[in-house]
Amino acid sequence: MSRRTLLGVWAHPDDEAYTSAGLMAEFRRRGDRVVVVTATLGEHGTSDPTTWPPDELAALRHTELRTSLAILGVDELHVLGYEDGGCELFDGTDAIAGLIADVEPDLIVTFGPDGMTGHPDHRAVSRWTTDAWVATRPTANLWYPTVTPEFHRMWGPVNDQIGLWADQPDPPCAATTDLASNNRLPRDLLDLKVAALTAHASQTRPLIDLLGLATYREWWRTESFRSADLPASPADHTLTDRAAAA
């Protein structure tokens, strides 16, 4: 059986765990390869920058990320080194295209154009990765994480409580029939996912304390992805225009 490769491209440490820890663990359990890319080290991800200046928080979050990935059996990590909160000012397409060419993934996962929560860094990484996929390896599958109407119904009060959609005027929502994958993690994979998230303690401990571990465990138990569509080529547009004119 041929070995498959999963490439995850994200903006900050812990993005990969919330969206795809179960998927990564499944790949590694089968003996498949998993490579993770993070655009930043989330050095501004604190409400107390006096206690946690950027250099110190970046070092901590880098360590947390490697620990989290090790729990899932992942040891291939690339840090692009962009400033947290500033990705939209840059273009990381070429850097990601180079990694795609080197890794040759069968499946790429990254934020959709909505950035999931709407964070500008998420949107920028989505744009870079999608453009790199189109230019470099369009034969690979590209999946965007999303949530379903069932997620909104079940977790709406929690999402409102923590302000999950504060930067997202139009939260993502996809019917289960439109998904490429919709996996409610079994207990063993959920245990790994929660352990991976808990390793990102600087970010996740306050949420766990607020919600309680039992609620936190179930909150992101289901990992949902939709397929990205290749943009139509100029020739496709010409054919469409001709058909419309006829």
Side-chain angles (χ1 to χ4, degrees):
M1 183 180 295
S2 61
R3 190 182 189 210
R4 300 181 69 228
T5 298
L6 168 66
L7 173 66
V9 187
W10 308 104
H12 315 102
D14 81 5
D15 292 341
E16 81 299 328
Y18 275 112
T19 57
S20 59
L23 182 67
M24 289 189 287
E26 284 188 299
F27 263 69
R28 293 300 295 135
R29 182 172 289 180
R30 292 194 300 262
D32 292 335
R33 183 185 183 192
V34 176
V35 181
V36 171
V37 178
T38 182
T40 83
L41 282 173
E43 66 272 16
H44 298 305
T46 179
S47 59
D48 186 6
T50 300
T51 302
W52 288 106
D55 287 351
E56 292 186 23
L57 186 57
L60 173 64
R61 295 195 69 180
H62 195 178
T63 298
E64 289 178 339
L65 176 57
R66 287 200 174 277
T67 301
S68 177
L69 291 175
I71 290 168
L72 304 174
V74 177
D75 60 7
E76 293 189 67
L77 171 66
H78 298 269
V79 179
L80 298 184
Y82 293 100
E83 183 178 1
D84 181 19
C87 289
E88 62 185 337
L89 302 176
F90 301 94
D91 186 356
T93 303
D94 287 346
I96 294 170
L99 286 166
I100 291 174
D102 180 60
V103 171
E104 297 184 339
D106 302 286
L107 172 61
I108 304 168
V109 289
T110 192
F111 292 109
D114 54 36
M116 195 69 161
T117 64
H119 194 299
D121 284 354
H122 296 186
R123 292 179 183 269
V125 167
S126 172
R127 184 170 61 253
W128 301 347
T129 306
T130 302
D131 289 349
W133 165 67
V134 171
T136 308
R137 196 171 172 82
T139 55
N141 291 314
L142 177 62
W143 288 358
Y144 298 142
T146 189
V147 293
T148 63
E150 290 76 15
F151 176 87
H152 285 291
R153 285 195 295 271
M154 178 172 291
W155 299 108
V158 169
N159 299 335
D160 291 343
Q161 180 183 8
I162 67 165
L164 181 63
W165 310 122
D167 297 323
Q168 177 58 286
D170 188 20
C173 187
T176 55
T177 53
D178 295 332
L179 297 176
S181 176
N182 190 46
N183 187 17
R184 186 177 187 275
L185 301 179
R187 181 171 181 173
D188 57 342
L189 288 181
L190 180 60
D191 287 344
L192 285 174
K193 178 166 187 166
V194 172
L197 282 164
T198 302
H200 290 284
S202 68
Q203 308 302 302
T204 60
R205 184 181 295 120
L207 280 172
I208 294 171
D209 291 344
L210 176 66
L211 300 177
L213 183 59
T215 297
Y216 186 83
R217 276 178 60 87
E218 295 298 321
W219 186 28
W220 290 100
R221 181 173 194 151
T222 300
E223 295 181 352
S224 304
F225 298 91
R226 64 182 180 88
S227 291
D229 294 322
L230 277 168
S233 68
D236 292 334
H237 284 302
T238 300
L239 290 172
T240 301
D241 292 343
R242 286 176 181 170

